[in-house]
């Protein structure tokens, strides 16, 4: 109790007792996700990260117009001036050699980023040389991208007419080269780099010419005589990328400490120029001993992350990627930073160029244009990383000390962790996400990065989409091949999250799955064999993808199966499969449900099965396994098949399908009917035309067998034999009426569509043929029938269970459930309900303690739509449920209003005989039991905003024949244990575990009469049953079946109306028969300890659990209320009001669980509620 008190938020309110505290700890039945959600997959998000037009830059044209030694006429250079070109001083050697050296250096710088491209240099070229170069590269590149790098430091600036400059053959003149012609030669896709003053003019002209081309093409499309109309359609130039060193009105910086080609240096040697620029800033004084000469000696290689230079390059890549991902629109980021490796590198370096060149009043330009990034906060992290690295440089070079790695990545992971733990629900994406992916390259931080990445993906599908857009896929795909065992759980979790959102990625995994498939099957099947005796948690609370119930309904048992996105299949031997099916008790519905679907056979945990291993004879069960059934002429001809081998797998599957076709849950029965109709259609007759299977044929004919074990569908809880004239097909099991609030008084069953007939001719079919071969052509007189036949064949049975199970992985699993969040709305609502429960209990207890002199104050009276057969008070709300033959009506007994009325869904020849409120203390459900053995559970009743909805339904008892003279089905519900006791017109008491959704025990009654009343006590594990022969039988469910009947009392001589076991350790048994004799038994004593006599001829009786009251209804049209000592308190013979009429014969009555209220239903359709006198209340 101490733990309960700690868990209860009601503590300290001063109005709780032991019963109130247990409200928080009582289990809830049928409230898991599979019961509350619609079984369907989540709506897939549009995945824009997967590049459909991934490209590669295969050719690079390096055009250098330097004319070393001769300055262009329109540029006045400063003294001193920037002279370095590709880090070469052109004046340090001869002009021609300098030009060639610079060209070679530029090519090497580009090769660092794209070593496999085809490079061509054009040094101080003419127009023809440029044309020849460009057309040649385009021809070889085909549809791939070509890069055109233009250095115009030795020629005049671009013109406003869209021209750049080259030379004539003798280098005596500058020759203009039109951008329009350059577009024509280069084609698309292309990328242009312009390193010259006024480079922005080229970008503008390029766009104007591209627009001009579009307009010319539009004119040519309208005018067939246009010169362009006969030419092939040129590619659009809108997709070309341009990088320019400065705006249209700006000159390049000429600072002598910087290279003349500063823009090119930023694009091709970013670390070198970044370090050089850093040393030129004022902040470098904080790092003593670092000079421009010293940074040239920084050790390491760019592609070795363990060295200082390589680590800086790694950090630079992570930072620029992060800036771009946080600033750019997602589609633009994908195009520039994920489509082409060289383009991505150039644009990362372009961000550095913008930062450096803007400090010298020069603004680089790009097309497509990027938002400003030079002031982004991540640049400060870069400065810190450079600072930390350079501060070690003097001691590393001079003293040879070891390099201390930067804490950059560890700090960024910490920032990401803070975002995960401290952030609010709705927030901007974490800016560190691209850095987390870069950290996956590091073995030091990989485990922590994967852990944080998994926590991020757990936030929901939006987080997975973000991670995929950054580029997570190639990283985690590569890590799958890692041999590190500690990474496997994290990778499994991450991949589950990814595949749940984007299942198309399974194709990328197929090559990895194939090599491990057989091992996976072996391990999975071995696990299933080991765990078959243990209940598995539901998919909503554990690994949802590992459980594959075929029945995708809320009443799905915990079926075991193997499922995967690949070709993984459950393998089992024919012998063990047949044995598994034979061991199924086909008369035990929900506890041993078997579901069959194409390619999958699943049995419940109660079915004993022996699964084979891949080493044994392989027998894959799929729809092909019923090919033999398909060759049989008709259902009637199945007798011969079953007679030959009654225990064959085909017979067992057929029996299971017949069984499921009578399931009380509509979706299950409809699915089974579709399969049955499909099989029936594919079957053919030997001699004469026959109809498709009908419900009547199912119920009237049973498969013959040597052991006479033929099973009628009504034995599995279906319908009794009906008229053979029925023309309904198998899809018309029973008339299922839609749930509605307003039904006509008669509520006739809705007739189903007429069945489709066909005329097969099996004599034309060979005995062996291909699976689903259509056979010889058949002519028919009725085209509509043919269309109907095709509909049977083409109808595929699909469920949303796999998608729904996969959706589990897309939802947060690490987040605190909302019901456990103290500030959530769900939690507040529960607190309110439990406080309400406390108030009801206290007020009712106080009223009872005052004493009950009379119980005849009529506080409610109304006419029910049907004759009341069962009445049940809700324990805590002013609501009373009244069941007639096949419908439920809800009344507010305080306000006198009808709250709801809906059809229970049971067939018209059955009736509701029992009702129970499940989870009455919290989110209430209504359980109804009918005399055909079916149990249905409803939610959203008496709700003005929602329609009643069936949560689940199953066949609680089998072998029950509906009759008006029997007890029907009686139940008793234990909220504390989640156990449902059921019995009635059978010879057993069946116990259901609603948490595991399976039958746990069948206790034989040991009597030849029906059970009329059930009562149980979970603390003592006792079950008391009153029977139609007058006996009272006590069972201890902890004992063996042969010994569990611990006491039998035979003192009553007539039908027992009520048997009640008091819920406390010394509680007695109270029983009443129709003769009016009330007997009290001590379960430890062989005889009654007290006997009372009340009125005879009882039709209904109830005992108040708190007030020590007995109420009985008589066929003589009155209700009598007695005290526990047998004293008459009062009679109720007339309804209140002027000229109050006589009450009808009492059909049902029930006490409120807490209030001293009595609900009475009579055969004249009226339902009334009585209470103590007003002044007492």
């Amino acid at each position: 109790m101490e733990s309960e008190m700690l868990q209860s938020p009601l503590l300290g309110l001063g109005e709780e007792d032991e019963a109130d505290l247990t409200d928080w700890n009582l289990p809830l039945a049928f409230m898991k996700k599979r019961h509350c959600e619609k079984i369907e997959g989540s709506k897939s998000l549009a995945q824009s990260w997967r590049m459909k037009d991934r490209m590669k830059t295969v050719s690079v044209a390096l055009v250098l117009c330097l004319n070393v030694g001769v300055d262009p006429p329109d540029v006045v250079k400063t003294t001193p001036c920037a002279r370095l070109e590709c880090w070469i001083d052109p004046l340090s050697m001869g002009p021609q050699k300098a030009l060639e050296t610079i060209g070679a250096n530029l090519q090497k710088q580009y090769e660092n980023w794209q070593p496999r491209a085809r490079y061509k240099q054009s040094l101080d070229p003419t127009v023809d040389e440029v044309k020849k170069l460009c057309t040649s590269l385009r021809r070889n590149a085909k549809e791939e991208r070509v890069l055109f790098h233009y250095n115009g430091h030795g020629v005049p600036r671009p013109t406003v007419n869209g021209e750049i400059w080259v030379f004539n053959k003798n280098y005596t003149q500058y020759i203009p080269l039109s951008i329009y012609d350059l577009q024509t030669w280069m084609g698309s896709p292309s990328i242009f780099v312009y390193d010259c003053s006024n480079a922005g003019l080229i970008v503008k002209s390029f766009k104007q010419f591209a627009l001009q081309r579009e307009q010319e093409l539009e004119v040519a499309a309208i005018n067939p005589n246009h010169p362009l109309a006969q030419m092939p359609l040129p590619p659009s130039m809108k997709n070309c990328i341009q990088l320019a060193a400065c705006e249209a009105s700006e000159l390049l910086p000429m600072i002598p400490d910087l290279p003349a080609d500063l823009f090119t240096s930023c694009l091709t040697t970013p670390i070198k120029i970044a370090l050089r620029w850093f040393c030129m800033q004022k902040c470098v004084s904080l790092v003593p001993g670092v000079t421009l000469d010293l940074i040239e000696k920084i050790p390491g290689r760019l592609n070795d992350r363990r060295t200082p230079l390589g680590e800086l390059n790694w950090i630079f890549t992570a930072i620029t990627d992060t800036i771009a991902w946080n600033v750019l629109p997602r589609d633009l980021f994908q195009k520039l930073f994920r489509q082409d490796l060289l383009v991505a590198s150039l644009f990362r370096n372009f961000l550095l160029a913008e930062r450096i060149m803007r400090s010298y009043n020069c603004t680089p330009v790009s097309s497509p244009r990027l938002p400003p990034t030079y002031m982004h906060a991540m640049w400060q992290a870069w400065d810190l990383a450079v600072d930390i690295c350079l501060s070690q440089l003097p001691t590393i070079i001079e003293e040879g000390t070891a390099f201390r790695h930067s804490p950059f990545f560890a700090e960024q992971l910490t920032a990401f962790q803070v975002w995960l733990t401290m952030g609010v629900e709705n927030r901007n994406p974490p800016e560190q996400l691209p850095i987390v992916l870069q950290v996956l390259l590091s073995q030091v931080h990989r485990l922590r990065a994967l852990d944080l990445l998994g926590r991020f993906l757990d936030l929901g599908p939006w987080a997975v989409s973000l991670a995929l857009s950054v580029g997570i896929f190639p990283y985690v795909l590569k890590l799958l091949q890692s041999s590190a065992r500690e990474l496997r759980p994290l990778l499994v979790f991450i991949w589950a999250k990814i595949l749940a959102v984007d299942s198309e990625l399974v194709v990328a995994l197929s090559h990895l799955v194939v090599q491990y498939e057989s091992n996976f099957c072996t391990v999975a099947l071995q696990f299933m064999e080991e765990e078959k005796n243990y209940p598995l948690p539901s998919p909503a609370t554990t690994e949802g993808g590992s459980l594959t119930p075929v029945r995708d309904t809320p009443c799905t048992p915990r079926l075991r199966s193997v499922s995967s996105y690949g070709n993984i299949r459950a393998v089992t031997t024919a012998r063990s499969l047949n044995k598994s099916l034979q061991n199924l008790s086909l008369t035990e519905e929900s506890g041993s449900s078997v579901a069959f679907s194409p390619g999958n056979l699943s049995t419940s945990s109660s079915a004993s099965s022996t699964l084979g291993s891949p080493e044994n004879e392989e027998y894959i069960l799929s729809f092909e396994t019923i090919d033999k059934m398909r060759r049989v002429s008709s259902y009637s001809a199945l007798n011969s098949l079953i007679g030959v081998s009654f225990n064959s797998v085909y017979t067992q599957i057929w029996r299971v399908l017949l069984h499921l076709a009578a399931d009380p849950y509509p979706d299950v029965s409809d699915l089974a009917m579709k399969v049955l109709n499909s099989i029936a259609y594919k079957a053919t007759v030997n001699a004469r035309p026959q109809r498709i299977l009908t419900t009547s044929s199912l119920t009237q004919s049973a498969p013959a067998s040597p052991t006479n074990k033929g099973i009628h569908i009504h034995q599995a809880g279906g319908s009794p034999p009906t008229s053979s004239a029925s023309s309904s097909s198998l899809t018309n099991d029973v008339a299922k009426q839609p749930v509605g609030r307003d039904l006509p008084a008669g509520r006739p069953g809705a007739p189903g569509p007429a069945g489709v007939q066909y005329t097969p001719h099996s004599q034309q079919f060979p005995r062996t043929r291909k699976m689903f071969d259509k056979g010889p052509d058949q002519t028919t007189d009725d085209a509509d029938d043919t269309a109907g036949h095709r509909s049977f064949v083409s109808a595929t049975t699909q469920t949303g269970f796999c998608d729904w199970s996969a959706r589990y992985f897309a939802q947060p699993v690490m987040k605190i459930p909302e019901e456990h969040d103290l500030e959530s709305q769900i939690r507040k609502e529960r607190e309110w309900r439990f406080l309400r429960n406390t108030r009801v209990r206290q007020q009712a207890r106080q009223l009872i303690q005052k004493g009950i002199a009379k119980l005849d104050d009529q506080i409610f009276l109304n006419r029910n739509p049907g004759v009341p057969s069962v009445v049940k008070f809700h324990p805590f709300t002013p609501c009373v449920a009244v069941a007639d033959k096949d419908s439920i009506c809800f009344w507010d007994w305080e306000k006198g209003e009808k709250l709801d009325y809906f059809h229970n869904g049971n067939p018209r020849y059955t009736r509701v005989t029992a009702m129970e409120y499940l989870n009455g203390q919290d989110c209430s459900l209504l359980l109804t039991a009918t005399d055909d053995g079916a149990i249905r559970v409803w939610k959203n009743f008496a709700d003005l905003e929602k329609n009643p909805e069936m949560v689940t339904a199953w066949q609680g008892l089998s072998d029950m024949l509906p009759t008006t003279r029997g007890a029907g089905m009686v139940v008793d519900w234990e909220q504390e244990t989640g156990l449902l006791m059921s019995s009635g017109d059978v010879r057993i008491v069946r116990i259901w575990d609603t948490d595991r959704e399976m039958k746990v025990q069948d206790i034989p009654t040991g009597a030849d009469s029906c059970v009329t009343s059930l009562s149980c006590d979970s603390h003592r594990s006792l079950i008391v049953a009153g029977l139609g022969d007058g006996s009272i039988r006590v069972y201890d469910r902890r004992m063996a079946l042969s010994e569990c009947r611990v006491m039998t009392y035979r003192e009553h001589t007539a039908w027992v109306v009520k048997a009640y076991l008091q819920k406390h350790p010394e509680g007695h048994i109270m029983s009443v028969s129709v003769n009016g004799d009330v007997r009290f038994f001590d379960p430890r004593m062989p005889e009654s300890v007290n006997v009372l006599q009340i009125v005879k001829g009882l039709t209904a009786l109830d005992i108040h659990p708190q007030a020590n009251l007995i109420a009985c209804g008589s066929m003589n049209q009155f209700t009598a209320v007695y005290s526990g000592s047998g004293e008459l308190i009062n009679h109720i013979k007339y309804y209140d009001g002027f000229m109050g009429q006589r009450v009808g014969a009492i059909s049902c009555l029930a006490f409120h669980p807490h209030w001293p209220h009595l609900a009475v239903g009579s055969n004249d359709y009226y339902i009334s509620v009585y209470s103590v006198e007003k002044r007492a209340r």
Side-chain angles (χ1 to χ4, degrees), residues 457-601:
L457 298 182
D458 189 57
L459 296 178
W462 64 270
V464 177
S465 298
L466 278 181
L468 289 173
S469 71
V470 174
I472 184 181
F473 179 70
Y475 291 83
V476 292
L477 184 62
K478 186 71 174 176
L479 285 176
L480 280 179
Q481 304 174 26
S482 171
S483 59
R485 297 181 64 87
E486 65 272 11
L487 301 183
R488 293 178 184 176
L490 297 172
L491 287 172
V492 168
F493 183 84
I494 289 171
W495 270 106
K497 289 290 181 183
I498 294 174
L499 292 178
V501 175
D502 192 347
S503 57
E504 295 178 11
L505 287 178
V506 71
V507 179
L509 293 176
S510 58
H511 68 284
L512 294 174
V513 172
V514 169
Q515 55 184 320
Y516 303 121
E517 178 180 347
S518 61
N519 292 335
F520 182 88
C521 284
T522 304
V523 172
L525 291 171
Q526 185 177 8
F527 171 78
M528 291 167 58
E529 179 66 17
E530 293 172 355
E531 298 294 324
K532 67 181 181 181
N533 294 324
Y534 299 92
L536 287 180
S538 69
T541 55
T542 58
E543 301 80 18
S546 65
L547 301 177
T548 311
V550 180
R551 282 168 51 169
D552 62 330
T553 63
C555 56
T556 306
R558 307 283 171 78
L559 306 181
R560 282 153 172 75
S561 179
V562 175
S563 67
S564 76
Y565 286 98
N567 296 330
I568 300 174
R569 300 168 295 184
V571 282
T572 179
T573 61
R575 183 180 304 168
S576 63
L577 174 63
N578 198 7
K579 179 181 177 182
S580 170
L581 288 169
Q582 290 177 32
N583 290 336
L584 289 176
S585 174
L586 293 178
T587 59
E588 296 173 4
E589 282 68 22
S590 182
S592 59
S593 294
V594 177
F596 174 75
S597 70
N600 188 16
L601 180 78

Side-chain angles (χ1 to χ4, degrees), residues 395-430:
T395 58
I396 291 176
I397 295 176
E398 296 172 6
E399 303 175 12
T401 58
F403 172 65
R404 298 191 311 274
H405 292 283
S406 171
F408 170 78
F409 289 107
E411 292 170 350
Q412 294 300 317
L413 286 180
T414 301
F416 185 57
Q417 185 175 356
V418 170
W419 185 93
L420 286 172
T421 55
M422 303 298 181
V424 295
E425 189 73 23
N426 298 319
R427 47 190 157 159
N428 294 326

